[in-house]
Amino acid sequence: MRWKKRALALMLVLACLLPRRESVPAGGRATVEIGETPPTVAITFDDGPKASTTARLLDELALREVPATFFLVGREIADNEELVRRMAREGHQIGVHSYAHIRLTGLSRSDFDADVGRERAQLSSLLGEGEFWLRPPYGWADSTVQARAGAPIVMWSVDTEDWKYRDAGHIAGAVLGQVQDGDIILFHDIYDSSVDGAIQVVDALLARGYCFATVEQLLALKGIRAENGTVYRSARPEGIFKTWDFQ
Ligand SMILES: [Zn+2]
């Protein structure tokens, strides 16, 4: 029984249309069994918060009860504190994308701490103590960034290149043509076309039977123990990097 309860608890954090098999014994109550874990992905958004686009994205995600992960730029937080509180309240994961959207490779220890530490302090004072996982700008990291990260490092396995195309249909098509179970999908919530594209992706994948989770939930669901400094491109074995050198 114990594993069943645990599976049920994990399922309940996911947003999706769960596959169910109902059986109704004669004269008895219907029981619902939950089948195999459906394919699950994490949608992630960098470079916000931005008042207009991020608020609209949160509205659309709330309508669908879909959780996401936001890697925030610290200097954008001060003018959007209520939006950040709302993200946390509505079950989204919040992470660090550097205070000033700078390259984290090649920094001195004090410059690294002045940037990443400054954003962590901002988030802690706004939301309370938390882990605040790291996504380095441009995906640039090396062994030094890994050693200093103080949290798991999240990259991506599906790149929408939404900053380049600015076209919702193109963005959605790029994801839907290649998405797989365990993917981490990269968007930027500072463009209207990215919000529209992301919502098209969510609706299409819900219709295909996919579930959505935050990155932290996705790794846990797949039995992966997240470790500080390890790079996660996806929640599949080939997406985990103890060493990473891309800059
Ligand atoms: Zn960025």
Side-chain angles (χ1 to χ4, degrees), residues 51-175:
S52 56
T53 47
T54 306
R56 191 164 69 84
L57 175 62
L58 289 175
D59 290 343
E60 297 289 343
L61 293 175
L63 276 176
R64 295 159 176 84
E65 297 186 337
V66 162
T69 303
F70 291 88
F71 293 99
L72 305 180
V73 171
R75 68 182 172 203
E76 307 298 334
I77 291 174
D79 290 337
N80 295 291
E81 290 189 347
E82 185 41 42
L83 264 184
V84 178
R85 283 197 203 92
R86 181 182 168 193
M87 284 173 187
R89 218 168 39 233
E90 296 183 355
H92 303 295
Q93 184 179 352
I94 294 168
V96 167
H97 193 48
S98 82
Y99 182 85
H101 205 276
I102 55 168
R103 177 183 185 135
L104 296 180
T105 50
L107 293 182
S108 67
R109 175 87 220 196
S110 60
D111 285 347
F112 183 94
D113 290 342
D115 183 284
V116 171
R118 182 177 182 182
E119 182 172 356
R120 285 232 166 88
Q122 260 183 316
L123 289 173
S124 295
S125 74
L126 197 58
L127 304 173
E129 287 301 316
E131 283 205 303
F132 308 121
W133 294 14
L134 179 66
R135 173 171 282 163
Y138 319 107
W140 287 339
D142 58 14
S143 57
T144 307
V145 172
Q146 289 186 285
R148 293 173 180 169
I153 298 174
V154 182
M155 301 298 185
W156 55 87
S157 51
V158 176
D159 186 353
T160 61
E161 295 188 289
D162 55 342
W163 54 272
K164 184 159 69 178
Y165 291 106
R166 312 283 181 92
D167 178 283
H170 184 99
I171 292 163
V175 176

